[in-house]
């Protein structure tokens, strides 16, 4: 996260700058409709069709389809980020600190067998195999906008179900106020575990009500397939109104606590990465503004930056969770 590379500096053109033909044709159709004055509803349905067309599985990994989610805010009507960008440009420091390292190195991650332990302040602690987790609730597809603290964003069709489904099964005690998410840290299969860049394992945390929010997703797949290793296989968290680093990858333990967990980035640089880390264009990172973002796939020399939206555009769904809080203090 502290590291910049060529693409952050707009030095390299991305392959995704070349508009695929079906999208180009979709835009022409839209322009024609606008000219004939029937653009309103057509615009939404075309955009959705564009998004769906690209959500077809890329055919690399095992299929994992989800039904369309009924959760409010689960579908962002934006062009999807290309699978190639979403799976080759990201952070997973257990495999290196360059954006290309996870895709290059994560083949060594061993995802079977996999278990997730649920412990702490719950009535029913449990040890779930991945298979148990997959059966716990029906898989849904959710198209979420994700915004990284470094200033880039993507739109990804995830497959999974609300974290709340799992939380309800284990019955948190009245004293449980927070949930800690602990991720895999195996130096044998993760070459950068042991490096001093972060404290291992990578840990994230949410308040219990944030973890229970229907938008908080326990994800097993993306683009209709199981997660590629570099995106957090076999199971990860996705919290779309928070900066990307709140979404812990390759989860092995979920612990319910009565105290606020110390998270990996908070331990590394507390003045820069707070516990909440809600996307907020009005609160700058101490070293850069958070007011705008660069959408991956739109990063040509002349591409305009987008305005970052409060809570990443999910204010209507999650704003109430923070009513009355000073978001400058609780950043
Ligand atoms: N999870 C683990 N275990 N290790 C990491 O280094 N990086 C975080 C988050 N989850 C990270 C992690 C950061 S900084 C980001 S921006 C997101 O994963 C990016 O991953 P994605 O683009 O695949 O969602």
């Amino acid at each position: 996260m502290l590291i910049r590379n060529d693409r952050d500096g707009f030095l390299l053109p991305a392959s995704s700058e070349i508009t695929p033909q079906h999208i180009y044709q979709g835009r022409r159709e839209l322009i024609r409709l606008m000219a004939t004055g029937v653009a309103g509803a057509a615009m939404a349905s075309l955009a959705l069709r564009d998004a769906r067309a690209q959500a077809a599985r890329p055919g690399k990994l095992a299929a994992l389809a989800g039904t369309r989610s009924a959760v409010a805010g689960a579908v962002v009507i934006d062009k999807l980020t290309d699978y190639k960008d979403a799976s080759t440009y990201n952070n997973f420091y257990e495999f290196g600190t360059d954006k290309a390292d996870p895709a290059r190195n994560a083949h060594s991650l061993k995802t079977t067998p996999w278990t997730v332990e649920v412990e702490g302040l719950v009535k029913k602690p449990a040890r779930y195999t991945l298979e148990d987790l997959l059966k716990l609730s029906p898989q849904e597809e959710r198209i979420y906008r994700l915004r990284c603290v470094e200033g880039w964003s993507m739109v990804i069709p995830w497959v999974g179900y609300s974290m709340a489904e799992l939380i309800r099964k284990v019955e948190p005690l009245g004293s449980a106020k927070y949930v800690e998410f602990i991720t895999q840290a195996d130096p044998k299969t993760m070459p950068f575990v042991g490096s001093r860049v972060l404290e291992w394992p990578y840990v994230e945390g949410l308040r219990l009500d944030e973890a229970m929010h229907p938008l908080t997703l326990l994800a097993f797949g993306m683009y209709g397939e199981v997660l590629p290793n570099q995106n957090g296989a076999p199971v990860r968290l996705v919290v779309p109104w928070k900066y990307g680093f709140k979404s812990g990858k390759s989860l092995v333990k979920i612990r319910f606590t009565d105290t606020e967990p110390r998270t990996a980035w908070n331990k590394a640089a507390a003045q820069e990465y707070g516990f909440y880390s809600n996307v907020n264009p009005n609160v700058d990172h101490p070293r850069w503004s958070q007011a705008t973002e660069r959408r991956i796939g739109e990063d040509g020399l002349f591409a305009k930056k987008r305005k970052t939206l409060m809570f990443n555009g999910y204010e209507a769904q999650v704003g109430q969770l923070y009513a009355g809080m000073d978001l400058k203090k609780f950043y």
Side-chain angles (χ1 to χ4, degrees):
M1 212 144 56
L2 304 168
I3 281 96
R4 295 173 65 85
N5 75 359
D6 286 349
R7 281 185 54 182
D8 286 314
F10 294 89
L11 297 178
L12 295 177
S15 58
S16 49
E17 271 166 45
I18 302 154
T19 309
Q21 194 188 10
H22 71 276
I23 294 171
Y24 166 75
Q25 280 170 343
R27 284 188 199 140
R28 285 193 52 144
E29 194 179 337
L30 188 57
I31 289 164
R32 187 182 62 75
L33 286 171
M34 281 173 134
T36 53
V38 286
M43 179 121 70
S45 80
L46 257 183
L48 190 59
R49 206 184 66 192
D50 242 14
R52 309 288 315 169
Q54 282 189 77
R57 56 183 286 247
K60 292 186 176 175
L61 300 171
L64 182 68
T67 54
R68 184 85 66 90
S69 177
V71 172
V75 178
V76 166
I77 304 179
D78 274 3
K79 177 182 174 293
L80 292 189
T81 301
D82 284 349
Y83 180 83
K84 186 160 181 291
D85 287 328
S87 59
T88 56
Y89 185 85
N90 62 7
N91 291 323
F92 198 168
Y93 275 25
E94 289 82 338
F95 296 100
T97 53
D98 189 90
K99 297 280 177 282
D101 281 343
R104 214 166 14 219
N105 300 329
H107 54 86
S108 59
L109 175 69
K110 194 168 167 283
T111 57
T112 50
W114 194 272
T115 55
V116 176
E117 259 174 77
V118 186
E119 59 175 42
L121 303 174
V122 287
K123 244 186 235 154
K124 297 180 174 167
R127 193 160 193 265
Y128 289 95
T129 64
L130 181 68
E131 292 70 28
D132 294 337
L133 277 183
L134 280 163
K135 280 187 277 187
L136 192 127
S137 186
Q139 304 288 330
E140 295 183 350
E141 184 177 76
R142 309 251 182 106
I143 300 177
Y144 282 166
R145 187 184 296 118
L146 274 197
R147 188 348 180 135
C148 180
V149 76
E150 294 160 299
W152 43 274
S153 61
M154 300 197 190
V155 180
I156 296 181
W158 300 100
V159 185
Y161 51 75
S162 292
M163 184 72 208
E165 302 291 337
L166 173 61
I167 296 179
R168 275 194 277 271
K169 287 268 190 283
V170 297
E171 298 181 31
L173 301 176
S175 51
K177 298 280 179 287
Y178 298 91
V179 192
E180 193 175 5
F181 297 92
I182 298 140
T183 73
Q184 175 76 310
D186 174 16
K188 287 198 231 66
T189 56
M190 302 171 125
F192 273 69
V193 166
S195 75
R196 301 226 302 246
V197 59
L198 286 175
E199 196 179 300
W200 311 104
Y202 190 100
V203 171
E204 257 313 330
L206 295 173
R207 240 171 37 195
L208 181 59
D209 58 345
E210 295 176 322
M212 287 291 291
H213 192 282
L215 282 174
T216 301
L217 185 72
L218 193 62
F220 302 88
M222 60 185 220
Y223 298 83
E225 295 184 353
V226 297
L227 288 169
N229 287 357
Q230 61 271 28
N231 289 82
V235 54
R236 64 171 287 172
L237 190 64
V238 187
V239 193
W241 70 95
K242 292 179 179 274
Y243 292 117
F245 68 91
K246 295 299 288 181
S247 299
K249 293 174 158 172
S250 305
L251 296 174
V252 291
K253 206 173 270 186
I254 299 172
R255 185 185 291 144
F256 291 74
T257 68
D258 53 6
T259 46
E260 193 180 279
R262 293 275 337 260
T263 64
W265 280 103
N266 187 245
K267 286 185 213 166
Q271 70 289 0
E272 301 197 355
Y273 308 109
F275 176 76
Y276 282 92
S277 299
N278 292 317
V279 175
N280 187 340
N282 309 315
V283 178
D284 290 342
H285 182 279
R287 289 184 286 137
W288 58 82
S289 159
Q290 294 290 21
T292 60
E293 67 200 53
R294 178 172 67 86
R295 180 68 51 83
I296 296 291
E298 293 179 348
D299 46 359
L301 270 181
F302 304 107
K304 267 206 187 140
K305 285 199 171 188
R306 289 170 180 251
K307 278 201 167 135
T308 290
L309 305 171
M310 189 63 203
F311 297 116
N312 204 19
Y314 298 93
E315 187 167 15
Q317 288 82 21
V318 303
Q320 266 307 109
L321 293 174
Y322 310 101
M325 273 177 75
D326 178 353
L327 298 178
K328 282 205 165 72
K329 187 167 166 211
F330 298 102
Y331 59 91

